């Protein structure tokens, strides 16, 4: 068994390598620097290419070029850097190019700070760049889960010909945990016969995003939409934690969900039955899970490291059938389990 | 008569790398000539099936409709980064970008300079027509001082818009590039030399010597508001003195 003690950032890099990623293009930014640093050391050992680009913009277009050439490729950055990449991410989504983008979020807006944050939820799940498109967005809450989701991301990217964003925060990136690298079973994936590899013995290939004919562009948008609909149907991932007998449910993702678990244990010792729905896929969002729980549970507390972003999707799922409250810390401040306990206690005291 | 013609040696024809279609370029535009020169060079080097091109945003965005090779369409200015990603995956392919002055010398300056500085083993064909052609003739980074454009209606003023950039000279100061030259397509003589330079640039890449760029001075009669003949004259009278033709950097082995 391949068991190691690593930071989340290093684990994401190693997992990418083990998933067959041989190209990495990036630009330094805290708190994700361990990913490019690890890649710069390890990729040459396995015959891959690490390139430190002149900017995040250049890096994402190197990804565009490598992906369009048929390779498994990734980049990583943190919030302000991901903003810079948005133009390229829109082009990559439009050109239907598979790749993995790790976003180890930090506090914002602007230059913000370098401590953990979840303030880029909207940017990640609602598009981010221009045009009607979506990324597949996966949010790990442990270093081990970062490994498995990273590996899976590459398969999902190839399966859907769509960029996949691994959405972590400074905690996930910097925290060290023991992790196991298990070989993933080989998945059957579509051939990349669309890629630019030299037009030998076939008509020439073209990777492009321009459609000047509005009827053609509408057709392309509908094609993309159908892909997102398929993701909504087949790729929803979530964890139900002690929801069976819960009277109050917490909604949280990523590292906040871990803190919430500690709070739930403490609350249950006090006799308050609390559970949690932890979305793992943020796009597609597990709306149905919230619709279902709202039939039974009338109080839901959303906890985020933001001023309230995922709460909008929770409310869409609940659709007025339960009271949805919010607790958030921002700017790199992290909610403690005691704060979450206090919030839940406040909630249960008030009659619905 | 027909039999006789069939027995004659074919000395001129459409390159295999150039699709049998008409282009969208305006009458008197230099792009059509340069598209063809690139196709001829690809044919002559026998690398059509081992070539991957990157089209820019600008008048040459539809380059992929004319060249019969695998191609990317880039975002504005990002062609060198895309070519870098592609070349790193396919080091044995010949990878080139085709970019205009706004693309290469304004929005994509960082990508251009850093691809050159890395000595990225790619080739760039740089069309300098001193204007933003596709968007209707705005001032370009290479517009001449005093040149009237839609965003410098009384002529480019140094105090407001600074000076035009000489990209070939600028890039030649770097250690990374192997071959940098400037040519023109304003006369038959210059077209022949332009083709030689494009060929040399592609050969530089095939030999693995590093980054190569050919800057091509090219007329834009439509946005210069001139007849094709007057545009040629304007180019030679105004652009040639500011943008001297020649090789600014040649591969070590070719010196």
């Amino acid at each position: 068994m391949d068991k190691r003690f690593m930071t989340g950032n290093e684990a994401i890099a190693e997992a990418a390598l083990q998933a067959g990623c041989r190209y990495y293009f990036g630009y330094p930014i805290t708190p994700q620097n361990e990913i490019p640093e690890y890649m710069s050391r390890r990729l040459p050992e396995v015959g891959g290419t690490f390139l430190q680009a002149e900017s995040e913009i250049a890096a994402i277009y190197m990804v565009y070029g490598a992906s369009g050439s048929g390779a498994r490729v990734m980049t990583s950055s943190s919030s302000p850097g991901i903003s810079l990449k948005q133009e390229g991410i829109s082009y990559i989504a439009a050109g239907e190019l598979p790749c993995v983008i790790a976003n180890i979020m930090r506090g914002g807006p602007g230059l913000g700070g370098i401590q953990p944050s979840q303030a880029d939820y909207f940017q990640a799940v609602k598009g981010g760049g221009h045009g009607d498109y979506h990324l597949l967005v996966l949010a790990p809450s442990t270093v081990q889960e970062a490994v498995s989701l990273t590996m899976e991301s590459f398969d999902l990217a190839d399966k859907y010909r769509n960029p996949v964003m691994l959405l972590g925060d400074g905690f996930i990136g910097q925290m060290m945990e023991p992790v196991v690298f298990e070989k993933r079973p080989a998945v059957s994936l579509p051939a990349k016969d669309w890629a630019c590899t030299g037009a030998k013995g076939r008509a020439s290939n073209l990777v492009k995003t321009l459609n000047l004919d509005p009827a053609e562009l509408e057709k392309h948008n509908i094609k993309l939409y159908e892909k997102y609909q398929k993701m909504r149907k087949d790729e929803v991932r979530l964890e139900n934690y002690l929801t069976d007998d819960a009277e109050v449910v917490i909604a949280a993702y990523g590292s906040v969900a871990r803190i919430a678990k500690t709070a739930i244990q403490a609350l249950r010792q006090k006799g308050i039955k609390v559970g949690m729905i932890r979305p793992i896929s943020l796009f597609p969002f597990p709306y149905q899970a919230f619709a279902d729980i709202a039939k039974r549970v009338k109080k839901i507390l959303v906890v985020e490291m933001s001023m309230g972003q995922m709460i909008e999707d929770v409310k869409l799922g609940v659709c007025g059938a339960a009271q949805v409250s919010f607790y958030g810390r921002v700017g790199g401040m992290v909610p403690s389990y005691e704060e979450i306990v206090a919030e839940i206690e406040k909630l249960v005291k008030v009659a619905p | 008569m027909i039999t006789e013609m069939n027995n004659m040696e074919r000395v001129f024809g459409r390159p295999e790398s150039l699709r049998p279609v008409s282009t969208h370029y305006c009458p008197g535009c230099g792009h059509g000539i340069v598209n063809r020169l690139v196709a001829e060079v690809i044919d002559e080097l026998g690398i059509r099936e081992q070539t991957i091109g990157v089209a820019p945003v600008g008048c040459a965005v539809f380059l992929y409709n004319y060249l019969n090779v695998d191609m990317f369409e880039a975002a504005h200015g990002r062609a060198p980064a895309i070519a870098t990603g592609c070349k790193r995956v396919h080091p044995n392919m010949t990878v080139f970008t085709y970019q205009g002055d706004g693309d290469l010398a304004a929005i994509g300056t960082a990508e251009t300079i850093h691809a050159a500085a890395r000595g990225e083993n790619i080739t760039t064909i740089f069309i300098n027509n001193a204007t933003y052609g596709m968007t209707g003739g705005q001032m370009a980074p290479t517009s001449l001082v005093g040149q009237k454009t839609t965003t410098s209606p009384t002529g480019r003023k140094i105090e407001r818009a600074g000076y035009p950039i000489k990209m070939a000279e600028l890039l030649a100061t770097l250690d990374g590039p192997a071959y940098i030259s400037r040519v023109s397509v304003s006369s038959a003589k210059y077209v022949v030399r332009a083709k030689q330079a494009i060929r040399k640039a592609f050969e530089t890449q095939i030999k693995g010597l590093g980054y190569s760029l050919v800057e091509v001075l090219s007329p834009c009669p439509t946005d210069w508001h001139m007849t094709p003949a007057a545009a040629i004259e304007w180019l030679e009278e105004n652009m040639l003195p500011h943008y001297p033709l020649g090789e600014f950097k040649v591969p070590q082995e070719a010196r």
Side-chain angles (χ1 to χ4, degrees):
Chain A
M1 193 171 61
D2 186 4
K3 190 170 186 177
R4 309 184 201 180
F5 188 55
M6 312 173 97
T7 66
N9 284 336
E10 291 168 324
I12 287 168
E14 179 61 28
L17 227 85
Q18 295 201 17
C21 172
R22 289 295 175 271
Y23 298 89
Y24 175 94
F25 304 94
Y27 186 87
I29 183 169
T30 307
Q32 61 82 56
N33 290 317
E34 294 76 11
I35 300 178
E37 286 167 358
Y38 192 90
M39 286 300 204
S40 71
R41 189 169 70 246
R42 280 283 281 134
L43 272 172
E45 289 175 4
V46 294
T49 294
F50 165 86
L51 200 162
Q52 184 169 315
E54 59 271 28
S55 68
E56 280 93 349
I57 301 170
I60 195 71
Y61 284 102
M62 289 171 188
V63 169
Y64 180 105
S67 174
S69 299
R72 275 205 160 173
V73 55
M74 81 170 288
T75 186
S76 62
S77 192
S78 177
S79 309
I82 294 290
S83 290
L84 277 167
K85 288 183 195 291
Q86 288 301 335
E87 180 204 49
I89 294 173
S90 168
Y91 278 70
I92 285 171
E96 297 190 82
L97 300 176
C99 69
V100 174
I101 302 153
N103 180 5
I104 307 301
M105 291 181 284
R106 58 188 247 183
L111 201 46
I114 57 170
Q115 301 295 329
S117 165
Q118 294 179 323
D120 303 331
Y121 177 91
F122 284 150
Q123 187 192 50
V125 306
K126 304 296 179 189
H130 61 284
D132 253 327
Y133 76 91
H134 284 286
L135 310 175
L136 236 154
V137 184
L138 303 175
S141 87
T142 66
V143 175
Q144 183 66 59
E145 194 175 39
V147 167
S148 57
L149 290 182
T150 300
M151 290 184 173
E152 206 178 347
S153 292
F154 284 94
D155 288 343
L156 288 169
D158 283 346
K159 179 179 169 187
Y160 287 97
R161 281 189 64 183
N162 203 71
V164 176
M165 179 170 277
L166 196 70
L167 193 67
D169 58 60
F171 248 121
I172 292 290
Q174 296 294 323
M175 179 170 53
M176 287 185 94
E177 285 188 292
V179 280
V180 177
F181 290 88
E182 277 178 65
K183 273 230 154 20
R184 274 174 56 75
V187 200
S188 145
L189 293 166
K192 295 183 177 181
D193 52 6
W194 44 266
C196 288
T197 57
K200 193 170 181 154
R202 59 161 169 77
S204 57
N205 281 342
L206 171 63
V207 172
K208 67 148 191 171
T209 64
L210 180 69
N211 274 299
L212 283 180
D213 178 351
E216 283 302 310
L217 184 52
E218 184 180 54
K219 222 186 282 174
H220 184 59
N221 269 280
I222 290 168
K223 182 188 173 204
L224 294 179
Y225 172 77
E226 281 164 359
K227 203 160 75 171
Y228 307 140
Q229 286 299 85
K230 192 166 163 34
M231 292 175 193
R232 286 179 174 117
K233 191 173 140 277
D234 296 341
E235 305 301 342
V236 172
R237 289 158 170 74
L238 73 145
E239 181 192 6
N240 270 300
Y241 180 71
L242 303 179
T243 49
D244 283 352
D245 64 342
E247 286 151 12
V248 185
V249 160
I250 292 173
Y253 71 97
S255 48
V256 174
R258 289 174 78 134
I259 303 163
K261 277 186 184 175
T262 308
I264 289 167
Q265 298 290 353
L267 286 158
R268 282 190 172 254
Q269 274 175 12
K270 294 182 179 188
I272 305 171
K273 286 179 181 163
V274 186
M276 175 168 63
I277 294 177
R278 176 172 74 90
I280 298 169
S281 60
L282 301 182
F283 184 91
F285 190 79
Y287 291 110
Q288 194 56 48
F290 286 100
D292 292 344
I293 203 78
K295 286 175 194 154
R296 199 173 55 71
V297 172
K298 293 303 156 200
K299 283 178 180 176
I300 296 172
L301 177 71
V302 183
V303 187
E304 297 178 60
M305 288 193 284
S306 81
M307 289 308 287
Q309 300 194 14
M310 185 177 76
I311 185 174
E312 294 193 3
D313 282 323
V314 173
K315 281 182 173 172
L316 279 175
V318 167
C319 205
Q323 176 197 327
V324 180
S325 309
F326 181 76
Y327 184 70
R329 295 297 303 269
V330 287
M333 298 302 287
V334 179
S336 68
Y337 84 90
E338 292 97 333
E339 287 165 31
I340 298 173
V341 166
E343 283 301 309
I344 293 283
E345 284 178 330
K346 256 196 290 181
L347 261 187
V348 293
K349 262 183 219 152
V350 187
Chain B
M1 185 63 191
I2 288 167
T3 327
E4 215 170 276
M5 276 185 72
N6 283 346
N7 288 336
M8 291 169 90
E9 190 197 350
R10 186 187 173 95
V11 293
F12 190 80
R14 183 179 281 275
E16 193 196 350
S17 302
L18 197 65
R19 294 180 199 273
V21 293
S22 54
T23 73
H24 72 292
Y25 300 124
C26 303
C29 169
H31 273 302
I33 299 169
V34 184
N35 286 190
R36 184 184 169 103
L37 294 182
V38 170
E40 286 181 0
V41 166
I42 291 171
D43 272 19
E44 285 171 20
L45 295 171
I47 53 170
R48 195 191 70 79
E49 294 176 338
Q50 292 87 41
T51 296
I52 301 174
V54 186
V57 168
C59 284
V61 64
F62 292 125
L63 183 63
Y64 46 77
N65 288 340
Y66 312 136
L67 293 186
N68 187 16
V69 298
D70 273 9
M71 288 205 70
F72 286 91
E73 173 197 277
H76 200 26
R78 318 298 178 216
I82 293 169
T84 296
C86 177
K87 184 72 178 184
R88 296 298 177 113
V89 174
H90 299 303
N92 297 322
M93 293 276 156
T94 300
V95 179
F96 74 95
T97 71
Y98 185 108
Q99 302 173 256
D101 40 52
D103 194 270
L104 180 138
I107 199 165
T109 315
E111 285 81 357
T112 299
I113 287 178
H114 284 274
R118 282 193 303 271
E120 206 67 48
N121 195 28
I122 59 172
T123 298
T124 289
I125 308 299
F126 165 38
I127 305 295
N128 179 359
N129 59 12
T131 189
Y132 282 81
M134 192 197 223
T135 45
Q138 293 79 16
M139 188 184 73
T142 53
S143 292
L144 298 176
V145 173
Q147 188 181 334
K148 285 184 183 173
T149 71
T150 60
T151 50
S152 58
T154 57
R156 180 176 188 159
K157 302 257 189 308
I158 294 167
E159 58 273 26
R160 276 192 229 151
Y163 297 88
I165 303 179
K166 295 175 180 174
M167 282 309 287
E169 287 88 337
L170 188 151
L171 291 168
T173 64
L174 300 171
D175 295 321
Y179 180 69
I180 305 278
S181 74
R182 183 184 289 121
V183 298
S184 172
V185 288
S186 55
S187 73
K189 177 181 76 179
Y190 287 147
V191 169
V192 171
R193 289 185 194 164
K195 183 176 168 184
Q196 286 166 350
I198 292 169
R199 184 177 170 121
K200 214 162 169 180
F202 274 80
E203 283 171 343
T204 299
Q205 178 181 170
I206 290 165
K207 288 176 194 159
L209 300 175
Y211 181 83
S212 52
L213 174 137
V214 179
E215 177 174 339
V216 185
L217 304 182
S218 175
C220 180
T222 301
D223 285 329
W224 293 353
H225 303 285
M226 293 174 195
T227 63
I232 292 283
E233 216 169 284
W234 188 87
L235 186 156
E236 297 205 340
E237 277 174 18
N238 297 280
M239 289 184 78
L240 286 187
H242 186 77
Y243 297 114
L245 306 183
E247 291 180 326
F248 298 90
K249 205 156 187 196
V250 292
Q252 296 287 351
E253 55 144 48
R255 265 179 200 157

